[in-house]
Amino acid sequence: MPQETGTQTNGINSNVTESSHTTGPEPLDALVVGGGPAGLMAAEALAAAGRRVVVADHKPSVARKFLMAGKSGLNLTSAVSVEECIGTYGDAADRLRPMIEALPPEAITAWARGLGEAVFTGSSGRVFPQAMKASPLLRVWLARLDAGGVAIRTRWRWTGWGAGGALDFATPDGPRRVRPAATVFALGGASWRRLGSDGSWRSVFEAGGVPVTSFAPANAGLEVAWSDHMTAHLGAPLKNVVFRANGSESRGEAVLSRRGLEGGGLYPLTPELRRGAALSVDLCPDIGPDILRARLWRASTKDSASNRLRKAARLDPAAIALVMETGRPLPRDPAALADLLKALPLPYAGLRPLDEAISTAGGVSWDAVDDRLALFSRPDTFVAGEMLDWEAPTGGYLLTACLATGLWAGRAAAQTDA
């Protein structure tokens, strides 16, 4: 294997290969393609099992999406039970169960502490590093991987499979071909293209006979064509409301943005909204229908509609503006008005584009992998992270499954004969 030389990229240690070439495929013990959280966790598992590991990533530095997500506070996981955590993964819950059980939320918290990061649990149950950033944790993690013999090659873009199980890469030194004994792919989904998750691997996998489910936005905002009436309220939050779609509901906040609605209160409903389900919002979730009707009955008929909503329903200006936007003409009957406030329709034109979504649904079909996450068509090749066809709401569940599948795939790949 060529000697690796260290460089500094954005303050994080990484390695690039020297420019020496070989006439045939370079033999590798274990290769991880993709340097995000799933890939790095797979590399750590492989190294812990005594395998000599190379991580190849097509960007100038690894874990770029991880670092960007951590700028606003790195949500590591959520302090919930294993069953509650597994329940957030919808149709993929049964397949992910053994992986989450092997690396449950409390184990992720312990893993972060093992990297020297103090953590805390917020009022919402979400777990964060005390530093509220990803960079300190990543820096220590990469140093630990380096100490374990993991070599990282950046600006290495995988271009396809060659003959005899070899993998082809475009590198700064020209085309390179390697033949690993075991390979873990962790190339991410198809959102945040500029950070590396561009989904370009899909066509290569499909050409190689691996079934891939089409990508779709997950944890995405909604397109809403607001009238000029809403201009003064754009950027304002809708606080403490409950969104409902097709029998599912989510309590939280959303922001009235220039192009529609976005926020954690909406994101858990993305699977239903992606199918075009009607959306409504309960603007008074802590006021029962009968109490709300009584308050509206007592409201002065001399008040304007806005004042009645403010005084009787205790709505803030953003919520009042939304009622005026989507609910007019308002019912005169207080009971009908109360019903409207408890289920205000929110027409929307669709989800925000795929590249603007926080994450994606779709990816390598579960039918393509066995219980070890190995491809049926290539038993020495494993898949982890958002490449697999699963989705989860925000709140630490995305990172939890990425780390858990990375660990699972890495441990399984370590059993592959060298």
Side-chain angles (χ1 to χ4, degrees):
M1 185 171 64
Q3 183 68 32
E4 310 294 327
T5 57
T7 63
Q8 290 285 329
T9 308
N10 293 335
I12 302 295
N13 284 319
S14 65
N15 297 301
V16 295
T17 186
E18 65 180 14
S19 59
S20 61
H21 292 258
T22 58
T23 56
E26 175 191 357
L28 297 177
D29 183 19
L31 174 68
V32 177
V33 188
L40 295 179
M41 185 60 84
E44 185 158 48
L46 282 158
R51 304 300 290 261
R52 299 181 305 281
V53 187
V54 171
V55 176
D57 193 278
H58 71 279
K59 285 294 186 179
S61 59
V62 298
R64 290 193 160 200
K65 187 175 178 181
F66 179 71
L67 286 171
M68 179 61 74
K71 281 190 174 181
S72 58
L74 179 63
N75 189 185
L76 288 167
T77 189
S78 197
V80 297
S81 69
V82 173
E83 287 302 318
E84 187 175 348
C85 182
I86 292 170
T88 65
Y89 297 104
D91 294 340
D94 288 342
R95 293 300 300 265
L96 288 170
R97 173 179 291 277
M99 301 158 211
I100 302 299
E101 289 176 342
L103 190 70
E106 61 266 26
I108 292 176
T109 299
W111 167 80
R113 289 188 175 124
L115 288 169
E117 287 298 307
V119 300
F120 71 96
T121 302
S123 58
S124 64
R126 299 182 178 192
V127 178
F128 300 88
Q130 199 73 45
M132 288 298 287
K133 294 187 297 184
S135 52
L137 184 147
L138 179 61
R139 186 172 288 107
V140 176
W141 193 10
L142 290 176
R144 187 163 79 182
L145 289 171
D146 181 64
V150 175
I152 296 178
R153 301 179 181 181
T154 53
R155 297 185 175 91
W156 273 53
R157 176 180 285 276
W158 178 62
T159 58
W161 281 290
L167 283 80
D168 292 331
F169 288 86
T171 81
D173 300 315
R176 296 292 295 269
R177 176 168 287 182
V178 300
R179 181 176 286 121
T183 302
V184 177
F185 280 102
L187 289 169
S191 64
W192 297 43
R193 177 179 298 271
R194 65 188 178 87
L195 299 177
S197 298
D198 58 15
S200 61
W201 56 264
R202 176 187 171 187
S203 60
V204 186
F205 264 60
E206 289 179 326
V210 179
V212 179
T213 305
S214 297
F215 292 118
N219 295 302
L222 293 177
E223 296 271 12
V224 181
W226 302 120
S227 71
D228 292 342
H229 155 77
M230 293 295 290
T231 302
H233 303 279
L234 299 183
L238 295 173
K239 295 184 176 182
N240 193 28
V241 298
V242 173
F243 295 98
R244 297 187 177 93
N246 196 31
S248 298
E249 68 176 46
S250 174
R251 184 167 185 151
E253 296 186 7
V255 174
L256 300 169
S257 70
R258 181 177 60 85
R259 298 176 64 177
L261 278 168
E262 55 188 79
L266 276 172
Y267 295 156
L269 301 180
T270 303
E272 301 298 335
L273 300 177
R274 203 164 50 232
R275 291 188 280 266
L279 175 66
S280 67
V281 59
D282 182 348
L283 296 171
C284 308
D286 295 322
I287 305 175
D290 292 340
I291 295 175
L292 184 57
R293 292 186 191 108
R295 288 182 180 178
L296 290 168
W297 273 109
R298 291 195 299 268
S300 173
T301 56
K302 296 180 181 180
D303 281 338
S304 66
S306 292
N307 279 336
R308 290 178 69 196
L309 295 174
R310 178 177 59 83
K311 294 177 180 179
R314 300 174 184 174
L315 299 185
D316 62 24
I320 293 171
L322 190 64
V323 174
M324 297 300 186
E325 176 76 3
T326 70
R328 287 188 294 184
L330 299 186
R332 292 181 177 273
D333 176 47
L337 179 58
D339 291 344
L340 178 67
L341 299 182
K342 296 293 288 182
L344 181 70
L346 292 177
Y348 63 98
L351 294 170
R352 302 284 294 136
L354 183 64
D355 195 47
E356 297 179 23
I358 292 176
S359 59
T360 51
V364 174
S365 170
W366 288 101
D367 293 336
V369 297
D370 64 18
D371 290 341
R372 302 172 303 143
L373 297 182
L375 293 174
F376 285 115
S377 58
R378 298 174 183 270
D380 59 355
T381 300
F382 301 77
V383 181
E386 278 197 79
M387 284 186 73
L388 288 160
D389 183 13
W390 59 269
E391 63 179 306
T394 56
Y397 302 109
L398 292 166
L399 184 56
T400 293
C402 284
L403 293 172
T405 57
L407 179 66
W408 189 267
R411 285 176 172 173
Q415 302 305 311
T416 303
D417 291 338

